[in-house]
Structure formats: C-alpha cells, structure tokens
Amino acid sequence: MPENEWDPDDYDEGHGFVAEYGADVVGLLAPKPGERVLDLGCGTGTLTAAIADSGADVVGIDAAESMVEQARESYPDLTFEVADAREYEPDGAFDAVFSNAALHWVPDEDHDAVLAMVDEALADDGRFVAELGGRGNVSRVENAVRAELADRGYDADSPWYFPSVGEYAPRLERHGLEVTEAVLFDRPTELEGGESGLREWVEMFGDELLDGVSEAEPTAILDGVEERLRPDLYDPETGTWTADYRRLRFVARKA
C-alpha cells in the first residue's frame, strides 16, 4: 500500500472524525457476541475496540507499524497484527470482515488481491461490511493541491483509489461476494484544527501529493491551497474548514 507517513497521536487527536463517522459502519456491521471479526485497516484500534465491546472476537490488522503499536498500547487485551491486506493469510474463518476508511489506500490494481483474501477469510455466508472514499471524494481539495503544484512545475500521482458503485460492486462479485447493499453519498466533513484544519488534513492524509517538492515550498503550496478553497470550504464565522467527502459504503456476503 502507499507509504503515507502516519503519526498515530496526530491521527487520534487531530482527526477524530474518522472514528466518529466510522461508528455508523460498526452499526451496519452489527457484530454479535461470539462472532469472529477481522478489522481490515484498523488504524489505532478505536473501532476494533467498539466491535469487541459487542462481545465479538476481533482481530485488527494494519500495514502501518506505528498505528498498530498505538492500538496495542491503547487496547492491550485485543489482538492486532502488522499485516498488508494484499498478502495476509487468515488464521481460520471469520464471520465478518470490516473496514473503515482504509481500502482507498490500496492501489486500484491491488484490490483483486485484497478481495481474494477477504473471500478466503470469510466463513460460508460471512459478510464484508466496509466504507471507503468513493468517486469524487475530496476532489476540490485534490484539484487545488494539483493546481498549486502545477504552478510550480510539479506533478503528482494520486495516493488514493476512489471507485464508484458501478465499478466496485462487480469487482466484489467476481470474488464470490454478493453485494446486498451499496451506496455512494456526499458527506461534507468538518475538519478539526480550526484555521489550520485544511493544511493539517493535507499533511496527514495527502502528504504523498507533496513528495518530491523542495523543502522550502510546502508552506507556500498549502497557503495557496487555502486561498483557492477558502471561498467555498471555509466558514469564517465558525473558523471551520469542511472537506468535500464522498463515501462508498457496502455490504456483501460470501456467496
């Protein structure tokens, strides 16, 4: 997966909306006591713990060692593993696989490997419940960053994969996962951090867009991004930035 630089403390303290919105996805999962659940892309473990609170036996995996270390410190009674979902070898069958805000970090060409793993991990009639960035997610923010980069002679590859329902549902079904629910929806998301919320978001989630930029330029680039987006995404009365999130949420069952 892309090598984003994850700071687990900053992730928890400055971007808590990820777990807050993810609570709805846990609700859709509706884990039951005794079920075995795999949390794919568990991050610092907040939602893994919420699943465990239901009485389920949950295993959290994440490719970022720093995030898993934080999860282990915060929830020492739970099981967390440093693992790449493309190469993970499930230890026994799971009643459900869960994922929130993680799958869009997997490159397009690698999703078949992940979905093959999910199919292997699930018990008969097991379910896969997930949410990820969908087609058009943060397009205004990404376009503004790209425009500032272009003005300085830079180009950047997108670190994300944001599919549509029509693109992703058939992909799930090719891997034996019958889609029972799928929706793409706008979810404007207020960013934490006040006046600096947008640049902190880019520094956390979009730092790969700035790869290759000279050390003297990121501040000027982010200043320019703010100026481009301020008329549409910043509320001066509340001092709050709102990112143009779009989410793809689905439920699929092993056929």
Side-chain angles (χ1 to χ4, degrees):
M1 295 184 193
E3 295 298 326
N4 197 64
E5 294 294 328
W6 294 108
D7 181 327
D9 291 324
D10 188 19
Y11 181 84
D12 280 345
E13 295 170 9
H15 308 279
F17 63 86
V18 178
E20 291 171 9
Y21 280 109
D24 287 343
V25 193
V26 175
L28 185 62
L29 174 69
K32 300 176 180 61
E35 283 192 321
R36 193 161 189 250
V37 179
L38 176 65
D39 182 0
L40 192 166
C42 63
T44 55
T46 303
L47 297 180
T48 319
I51 294 169
D53 286 344
S54 72
D57 178 14
V58 60
V59 175
I61 66 169
D62 201 287
E65 185 174 357
S66 60
M67 302 289 262
V68 171
E69 288 176 354
Q70 181 98 327
R72 287 170 173 166
E73 290 179 7
S74 299
Y75 309 103
D77 295 333
L78 301 183
T79 300
F80 296 98
E81 301 176 20
V82 179
D84 188 321
R86 297 168 294 188
E87 303 169 356
Y88 184 65
E89 297 182 2
D91 179 16
F94 290 86
D95 298 292
V97 175
F98 170 86
S99 185
N100 179 67
L103 290 171
H104 50 247
W105 291 103
V106 180
D108 180 354
E109 63 271 17
D110 291 341
H111 270 252
D112 289 315
V114 173
L115 296 179
M117 182 280 290
V118 171
D119 179 53
E120 179 184 354
L122 285 173
D124 290 344
D125 201 38
R127 63 199 186 279
F128 183 22
V129 179
E131 183 177 297
L132 65 155
R135 179 68 57 83
N137 189 56
V138 296
S139 60
R140 287 186 176 183
V141 177
E142 183 175 358
N143 289 340
V145 175
R146 289 186 180 282
E148 284 297 317
L149 289 171
D151 284 353
R152 292 166 173 78
Y154 295 106
D155 192 12
D157 293 329
S158 174
W160 309 297
Y161 169 53
F162 298 141
S164 66
V165 172
E167 178 182 354
Y168 209 68
R171 201 165 192 174
L172 288 159
E173 297 198 338
R174 284 197 297 271
H175 288 276
L177 300 165
E178 184 178 33
V179 178
T180 60
E181 180 178 342
V183 59
L184 177 66
F185 60 97
D186 292 324
R187 196 199 71 196
T189 300
E190 290 188 359
L191 305 180
E192 299 170 32
E195 169 68 27
S196 60
L198 180 64
R199 69 175 53 224
E200 290 177 3
W201 187 96
V202 174
E203 289 169 345
M204 169 60 72
F205 298 108
D207 63 335
E208 284 181 81
L209 291 170
L210 303 180
D211 281 354
V213 172
S214 68
E215 292 184 5
E217 290 189 277
T219 297
I221 290 171
L222 292 174
D223 286 344
V225 170
E226 287 180 337
E227 289 310 304
R228 289 175 185 269
L229 295 175
R230 192 177 299 276
D232 295 325
L233 301 186
Y234 183 70
D235 183 346
E237 292 186 4
T238 62
T240 304
W241 288 94
T242 299
D244 55 323
Y245 269 49
R246 299 190 85 209
R247 311 312 276 175
L248 172 60
R249 182 181 294 181
F250 64 83
V251 178
R253 287 194 175 272
K254 183 165 182 173

